[in-house]
Amino acid sequence: HVQLVESGGGLAQPGRSLRLSCAASGGSFSIDTMAWYRQAPGKQRELVAATTSGGSTNYADSVKCRFTISRDNAKNTRTVYLQMNSLKPEDTGVYYCNARILPHGNTLWEDRWGQGTQVTVSS
């Protein structure tokens, strides 16, 4: 069973940086898009950044030029990162990793979500 495990959240002061990681593991599968979403208190979950297997990326306007998404597609380490620089209080929320996967032997792509990691930006 494919699982996504996130790490790297925490507390940061405005203007500082944090780096999130999300590793996919469990069984044999292919991965297409990997992405980070976030959910602030009282708000809907929103897309922060995404990257395709071909290397294309897209970002929410609010994080462009501050956040960078990258991924490691090596056979045994399927990991996506989110480098967050110049953090702002409005970046506070629970950050979720998402991956579009195809378990080998299946014909339908599936969405998988991580458990979420808290990011708090405050002085």
Side-chain angles (χ1 to χ4, degrees):
H1 181 70
V2 180
Q3 290 185 314
L4 302 180
V5 179
E6 299 138 340
S7 60
L11 174 65
Q13 293 181 328
R16 303 302 290 266
S17 299
L18 285 173
R19 189 189 194 211
L20 306 182
S21 300
C22 171
S25 63
S28 179
F29 56 94
S30 300
I31 296 185
D32 186 10
T33 300
M34 299 186 79
W36 288 96
Y37 288 73
R38 69 185 178 193
Q39 188 165 18
K43 294 188 176 181
Q44 289 187 330
R45 191 175 297 188
E46 62 174 354
L47 176 67
V48 176
T51 177
T52 68
S53 58
S56 298
T57 59
N58 67 285
Y59 296 89
D61 287 343
S62 60
V63 307
K64 282 181 181 176
C65 300
R66 298 189 298 120
F67 290 10
T68 302
I69 189 169
S70 61
R71 63 193 284 175
D72 176 0
N73 283 326
K75 183 177 180 179
N76 296 317
T77 57
R78 295 172 179 182
T79 304
V80 64
Y81 305 94
L82 186 67
Q83 178 66 42
M84 304 185 293
N85 299 329
S86 302
L87 284 163
K88 302 177 180 181
E90 51 264 43
D91 294 320
T92 295
V94 179
Y95 283 68
Y96 296 91
C97 176
N98 169 268
R100 178 62 62 92
I101 69 160
L102 178 65
H104 290 173
N106 288 18
T107 58
L108 296 178
W109 290 85
E110 303 172 4
D111 272 326
R112 287 282 191 271
W113 291 90
Q115 79 283 1
T117 184
Q118 177 70 43
V119 171
T120 302
V121 183
S122 175
S123 55

